[in-house]
Amino acid sequence: MTYIQPHMIRQADVLRLVVTRDGNGNVSDESYTTVYGTHNVDLQPLTTRDLVANDQLKFKVSHYIFPETVAPFSFVSLGDRYRIGQKLYRIVKRHNHIDACYFEVYDDAPEQGASAATVIQNAYVVENLGPGSYTYGSGALAAVPAFSAKPILLDTLLNDGGYWIENATASGFTIVDRGFGESPLVAVYIKGTPA
């Protein structure tokens, strides 16, 4: 049994898509039927690092769902949907342990505004950046648009220099040389929603 903190408990049920076809094989109706009724779950979004890793590996996972009991596990199939409120999350993987289980799910229809599904489609990689200030849409970042909010920055050092990134905003960032070793060369993975 999974312990869920009281403020994290959500009510959910599991649905399965039922497709009705006519004599010619054309889809005449699609509806959902309940596979497992209302139960308590904990819905956890993936961390930014996991979202980026999944994006690179082309995994479509946006959240984890932890049911309070293992009972749903025996009823649920891949492709079924968890319904929490009015949102549907497609089940893409099941994990079963002796006394607990959880599901990896994908939010097929993200809410308006920035979301994991939107951000995943707007990623840019810029390599060989040295110390200095960078503005989206100009110079070395000419192909990178300005963003509506501060984007996610993941950086990798390409040589033996030392650096840090500061002043990260929706319009740019600064790479600062630590002053030892070589002048740093940095690859920056930028992910966000364009303005």
Side-chain angles (χ1 to χ4, degrees):
M1 180 168 187
T2 301
Y3 171 74
I4 304 173
Q5 296 180 10
H7 69 282
M8 298 296 288
I9 292 176
R10 297 185 182 208
Q11 297 290 307
D13 52 358
V14 180
L15 306 175
R16 183 168 296 152
L17 182 64
V18 177
V19 177
T20 305
R21 298 183 181 273
D22 62 18
N24 296 326
N26 298 319
V27 175
S28 61
D29 183 48
E30 291 184 342
S31 60
Y32 286 100
T33 184
T34 301
V35 176
Y36 190 80
T38 303
H39 57 285
N40 292 337
V41 299
D42 183 7
L43 176 70
Q44 295 289 326
L46 267 66
T47 64
T48 301
R49 187 168 301 277
D50 288 340
L51 284 172
V52 170
N54 286 348
D55 179 39
Q56 291 173 340
L57 297 172
K58 305 302 181 205
F59 292 150
K60 294 292 188 182
V61 176
S62 60
H63 294 77
Y64 296 123
I65 292 182
F66 298 89
E68 194 169 39
T69 66
V70 295
F73 192 81
S74 58
F75 295 96
V76 172
S77 297
L78 297 182
D80 288 347
R81 267 61 171 185
Y82 251 103
R83 179 174 57 190
I84 300 175
Q86 297 301 313
K87 290 188 64 84
L88 294 176
Y89 300 88
R90 184 170 34 92
I91 298 169
V92 295
K93 194 165 186 182
R94 306 178 324 159
H95 297 273
N96 186 16
H97 301 289
I98 294 171
D99 57 353
C101 68
Y102 70 97
F103 301 94
E104 293 182 22
V105 298
Y106 181 65
D107 182 356
D108 283 322
E111 296 174 353
Q112 294 295 329
S115 69
T118 303
V119 171
I120 284 172
Q121 296 173 2
N122 298 299
Y124 307 87
V125 177
V126 184
E127 296 184 331
N128 298 319
L129 296 177
S133 293
Y134 295 92
T135 303
Y136 303 127
S138 67
L141 303 182
V144 181
F147 295 96
S148 59
K150 183 174 90 171
I152 298 163
L153 297 178
L154 298 175
D155 50 289
T156 302
L157 182 63
L158 300 175
N159 63 6
D160 292 328
Y163 75 100
W164 72 85
I165 292 182
E166 66 181 16
N167 300 328
T169 66
S171 60
F173 58 90
T174 302
I175 297 176
V176 179
D177 187 347
R178 287 187 184 244
F180 60 87
E182 301 177 61
S183 180
L185 284 177
V186 182
V188 181
Y189 182 89
I190 306 162
K191 185 187 268 283
T193 303

